[in-house]
Amino acid sequence: MPGQPWALGLELGGWHDALRRIEPFVTDPEARDRIAEMNAVLEAYGAASLR
């Protein structure tokens, strides 16, 4: 909801960091695609949070 504080910012940042760290070691193409999608969502959240 607009105007509501998001209390999971640190946790989401931790997940984003972890996904970026493991991404180079993932060999399964489907898993790589999922990681890329999750990172894109987390990056979009981060960009929206700066507004």
Side-chain angles (χ1 to χ4, degrees):
M1 275 168 82
Q4 293 291 93
W6 187 259
L8 297 175
L10 292 176
E11 288 82 354
L12 291 175
W15 274 104
H16 189 230
D17 183 54
L19 288 169
R20 284 192 330 236
R21 287 174 185 247
I22 66 166
E23 190 172 19
F25 303 102
V26 177
T27 57
D28 178 45
E30 187 177 329
R32 278 194 139 209
D33 290 345
R34 287 185 191 168
I35 289 172
E37 289 170 1
M38 288 185 278
N39 275 332
V41 168
L42 291 169
E43 289 166 14
Y45 165 76
S49 295
L50 295 175
R51 294 179 190 176

